Amino acid sequence: MPEPWQLGFQDAAHPVMEEIIFFHDQIMFILITIMTAVLWLIVKGLSGKSYHRYLIDGTLLEIVWTLIPAVILIFIAFPSLKLLYLMEEIMDPSLTIKAIGHQWYWSYEYSDYQAETLEFDSYMIPTSDLNNGDFRLLEVDNRLVVPINTHVRVLVTGADVLHSFAVPSLAVKMDAVPGRLNQTGFFIKRPGVFYGQCSEICGANHSFMPIVVEAVSLDKYINWVLSLHSS
């Protein structure tokens, strides 16, 4: 959950999100180094009364300031490509969930169980019904419950207009397009509650259809599934 005035990312719960944060920090370090070096050269150039001839023009200088950016770009490109492949790779999922965006709520279907498909709607809790400590505009009446240390596949679609299923801590952001199934997935490493929202403007109540993913142990997840069956 983000804090007020937070500048960085939310705490990662998914290995891919950890890699994204690491890559971001690496790029920021390179950017700050380049900005510092360029600023120093500008200050030195403006404060001096004379210039060294080979700092203005020269074959060696041209080679150096062409090769250095090329090396930096290569240094950035390889981890970027690795991260892209990690984000696209979907392991053999142990659990498949279908998330359907509506105006203006989410519905979820668990269809891996032979007996019947477990399905429910998830509406935002109005401000007047919140308990002490609840987050306004983020709490829902039915959370998306998943087990930890499990490869979860999420099939995302829309029932009416475009929506977007987004949970920052899990590195998940997938468009919900009517008539089309998009696929994403995550692997949650620790128990917790992770908040997201619809990230595609979908109408008047776009800001009032949050997503809450609750990661629990396998035993608690089984008990939760059995309670849904019994109800």
Side-chain angles (χ1 to χ4, degrees):
M1 183 67 192
E3 299 294 334
W5 306 104
Q6 178 175 325
L7 297 179
F9 291 97
Q10 298 181 26
D11 292 337
H14 180 26
V16 171
M17 189 60 193
E18 292 177 351
E19 292 292 328
I20 291 174
I21 293 175
F22 177 76
F23 182 65
H24 169 268
D25 294 342
Q26 178 183 349
I27 297 302
M28 290 302 296
F29 174 78
I30 295 173
L31 178 62
I32 292 172
T33 303
I34 293 173
M35 291 176 61
T36 303
V38 172
L39 182 62
W40 179 80
L41 290 173
I42 292 174
V43 171
K44 290 290 289 184
L46 294 177
S47 60
K49 295 182 179 179
S50 59
Y51 297 95
H52 194 284
R53 60 178 296 187
Y54 293 115
L55 288 179
I56 302 301
D57 188 19
T59 304
L60 179 62
L61 180 65
E62 297 286 346
I63 294 174
V64 169
W65 72 28
T66 301
L67 289 180
I68 289 179
V71 172
I72 293 174
L73 289 176
I74 292 173
F75 187 71
I76 292 173
F78 281 109
S80 175
L81 291 173
K82 173 188 172 183
L83 184 56
L84 285 175
Y85 279 108
L86 283 175
M87 294 174 67
E88 290 295 328
E89 184 177 4
I90 302 293
M91 298 292 185
D92 185 21
S94 302
L95 174 65
T96 299
I97 300 171
K98 186 176 181 182
I100 307 171
H102 302 263
Q103 289 183 314
W104 287 272
Y105 64 95
W106 292 94
S107 61
Y108 303 106
E109 298 179 3
Y110 294 71
S111 55
D112 286 344
Y113 308 107
Q114 296 180 356
E116 60 179 316
T117 298
L118 302 178
E119 51 185 326
F120 56 89
D121 298 329
S122 180
Y123 288 87
M124 187 193 75
I125 298 177
T127 303
S128 57
D129 296 336
L130 291 176
N131 298 318
N132 290 333
D134 288 344
F135 297 107
R136 191 177 73 89
L137 303 183
L138 287 177
E139 298 292 348
V140 296
D141 54 358
N142 293 305
R143 292 175 173 177
L144 177 63
V145 180
V146 297
I148 60 172
N149 297 323
T150 302
H151 290 286
V152 180
R153 175 174 59 184
V154 184
L155 303 177
V156 184
T157 188
D160 34 47
V161 298
L162 289 176
H163 301 277
S164 183
F165 187 85
V167 184
S169 294
L170 306 181
V172 170
K173 186 178 185 297
M174 182 59 64
D175 288 341
V177 183
R180 175 176 175 177
L181 281 178
N182 288 328
Q183 176 176 287
T184 185
F186 51 79
F187 181 90
I188 302 180
K189 299 170 58 177
R190 57 183 172 85
V193 180
F194 310 101
Y195 294 89
Q197 289 180 306
C198 175
S199 297
E200 187 75 42
I201 297 177
C202 56
N205 290 332
H206 159 68
S207 302
F208 306 106
M209 49 182 301
I211 302 161
V212 182
V213 179
E214 182 176 359
V216 298
S217 64
L218 183 58
D219 291 337
K220 290 184 178 180
Y221 174 75
I222 293 173
N223 292 332
W224 177 79
V225 171
L226 293 176
S227 68
L228 282 184
H229 273 297
S230 60
S231 61

